[in-house]
Structure formats: C-alpha cells, structure tokens
Amino acid sequence: MIYVIGIGPGSKELMTNEAISALEKSEVIVGYKTYINLVEEFIKDKEVVQNGMRKEIERCQDAIDKAKEGKEVAVISSGDSGIYGMAGLILELVTKQNLDIDVKIVPGVTASIGAAAVLGAPIMHDFCHISLSDLLTPWDVIEKRLKLAAEADFVICLYNPRSKGRKDHLKRAFEIMGEFKSDDIPVGIVKDVARDGQCKQVVKYKDIDFETVDMTTIVIIGNKSTYIHGDKMITPRGYVI
Ligand code: SAH
C-alpha cells in the first residue's frame, strides 16, 4: 500500500486525522527533506527515504519499490498531495508499470486555503491556482493562463511565485495580469503559512514589493469586488446585506 499524504502547510493542527493515521500506519516514509522535518514526531523507528528537490521521479520509484516488497509506504507532500504534489506522479508510475499496488490519496490543506484563512476571506468566489514554476510547464503556457485568468476576473492564487533562479517571473506575471487587474485590486501575500515566522501583507496591486516574496510564499490576487478592511482581505460572495 502507498499512502500519498498531504501533510498540510506546516503545523500539526492543520494536518487531517486521516493524514496522521496514515503516517502512523506506515513503515517507510518517503519525501523531500524539508517535509520530512515537518513530520519528525511521527517518524520514531520508521525507515526514512529522503532526497533533495528535483528528484521526484527517483523518490516516487523508491516508494513503489518499497511497496513491492510488501511494505506500507507513506509518500508525503506539503499542503495537498494532489496540488503540485506527488499524487499524480505516483499514479502515473504505478499505472504505466501496470503494478497491482493499492494507492490511497490522502488530501491535505493546500497553501491557498491555509493562506486564505490567514488573510480573511479572499477566495470566497471563483478562483484558480497558477504555478509560476516553468521547470515542468513552458513559460508561454503560464503567460497565457495568467492573461486569461485575469481577463476572466478569477481570484488568482500564485504558487512557486519567485525563486532564486527565477527572480523576475512574479514581476512579469504582474505585468501580464495588469492588463486586466487594476492598480487598486487587493493582493494578499502570506509567507510560511502555519510554520515558524508566518507573516502576511495585504497591499494594493500597484504597491507589491516583489522582493518580499520567495518560494515559501503564496500570493493571492483579488477580483474586481475584493476589498480590504483593516488587515482583512474580503471577496464578497454576492449576498445583499
Ligand atoms: N502541494 C503544495 C504545493 C507545492 S508547490 C500545496 O498543496 O500547498 C510549492 C509552493 O506552494 C511554494 O512555492 C509556495 O508558493 C506554496 N506553499 C507551500 N506551502 C506553503 C506555506 N506553508 N506557506 C506559503 N506558501 C506555501
């Protein structure tokens, strides 16, 4: 059995009971180093298979090989395992190799949902997730999605907004969306949701300081109705009050 577990954004409070019990049942835990550290208290005497970033295929294949030996294996992703996590890759490998291994996807609180709660209620209406990482997706596809999502007035949650190697992606994304997102649309920025040092900012579109955004940050851009009240970001659902 392979459990593909979303461990939530960071704290134990935001892990589901199902995620905790799947971790407890597992004999082997497979994951990226940073995420293994987040579930340290559940490891005890379990076998741990960890490696660095960009080793996803090897890591998932290791998990499959352990499961073939008859072991109960947990593959962990931060947030939700099916949102830029390991769920898809595990299922792709298991089905391509025609293996008779049970795979159970255990959902988790994804970064956008965790950040939304910190900000107030910014994703009360139709929203989308766009990752600015072009490691697996061509940049022109990302640009097209940014443009059309902004034109359609979705609330837009940006994952992987700005890494050391891709410092200008966020600025470029704001230029593209800026054709449709006006200067005063609220933007919520939350760094390290449910982790040590969590911090948030709510600013107007034109005032974002790209330098404050890094890879453990999520950026949520409001729609035409979104407003700021005090330190809260609110997108009305449409109730007449
Ligand atoms: N599976 C994860 C997403 C992995 S992609 C999930 O469902 O949340 C990695 C990106 O997610 C990061 O670059 C960042 O934009 C966002 N992210 C993940 N955890 C976060 C956290 N605790 N705080 C802020 N952003 C986070």
Side-chain angles (χ1 to χ4, degrees):
M1 167 70 101
I2 302 179
Y3 297 101
V4 194
I5 305 172
I7 60 167
S11 66
K12 188 180 169 189
E13 284 71 25
L14 289 188
M15 281 176 76
T16 65
N17 288 330
E18 189 184 12
I20 291 172
S21 71
L23 274 174
E24 283 171 348
K25 272 187 271 191
S26 300
E27 300 165 85
V28 185
I29 302 187
V30 181
Y32 171 49
K33 285 200 269 316
T34 313
Y35 306 148
I36 295 279
N37 294 340
L38 291 174
V39 296
E40 212 174 355
E41 68 170 285
F42 299 100
I43 295 176
K44 296 177 188 137
D45 55 355
K46 297 179 196 301
E47 185 182 346
V48 174
V49 179
Q50 57 179 319
N51 53 25
M53 252 160 75
R54 304 196 190 174
K55 295 266 192 227
E56 289 89 352
I57 298 175
E58 290 95 315
R59 201 186 304 144
C60 287
Q61 190 60 52
D62 286 346
I64 289 168
D65 294 342
K66 297 280 176 194
K68 278 196 210 153
E69 293 169 17
K71 293 188 172 145
E72 300 270 299
V73 182
V75 177
I76 58 172
S77 296
S78 74
D80 182 67
S81 57
I83 298 180
Y84 314 122
M86 291 297 116
L89 181 53
I90 286 283
L91 286 175
E92 283 184 74
L93 289 167
V94 167
T95 52
K96 256 205 183 106
Q97 294 167 23
N98 282 318
L99 297 171
D100 187 21
I101 296 174
D102 287 333
V103 176
K104 173 133 181 61
I105 311 295
V106 180
V109 174
T110 189
S112 63
I113 307 296
V118 173
L119 292 165
I123 52 178
M124 273 298 295
H125 214 290
D126 301 338
F127 71 99
C128 66
H129 288 166
I130 299 178
S131 166
L132 296 191
S133 169
D134 61 354
L135 292 175
L136 299 171
T137 307
W139 180 251
D140 59 331
V141 172
I142 297 171
E143 286 202 354
K144 183 165 188 189
R145 289 183 183 159
L146 288 165
K147 181 176 184 309
L148 295 177
E151 182 173 13
D153 199 29
F154 280 104
V155 173
I156 300 174
C157 306
L158 297 179
Y159 282 68
N160 300 300
R162 191 165 174 269
S163 72
K164 290 200 183 84
R166 297 178 281 108
K167 278 193 188 311
D168 291 331
H169 278 196
L170 184 62
K171 184 164 175 284
R172 177 77 192 119
F174 266 63
E175 284 165 8
I176 293 163
M177 293 182 296
E179 191 184 336
F180 303 101
K181 297 279 183 193
S182 65
D183 280 355
D184 56 357
I185 277 193
V187 175
I189 300 158
V190 191
K191 180 169 162 49
D192 291 319
V193 176
R195 296 184 189 167
D196 288 344
Q198 171 185 297
C199 58
K200 73 161 177 176
Q201 306 171 55
V202 180
V203 297
K204 291 187 171 168
Y205 195 85
K206 65 174 172 20
D207 295 329
I208 182 170
D209 177 0
F210 301 114
E211 293 298 321
T212 62
V213 176
D214 65 11
M215 279 306 264
T216 62
T217 309
I218 179 142
V219 178
I220 302 184
I221 298 124
N223 69 16
K224 288 196 170 94
S225 314
T226 306
Y227 63 95
I228 300 172
H229 186 92
D231 67 346
K232 296 272 184 276
M233 182 173 169
I234 304 165
T235 300
R237 177 78 199 285
Y239 295 109
V240 179
I241 52 171

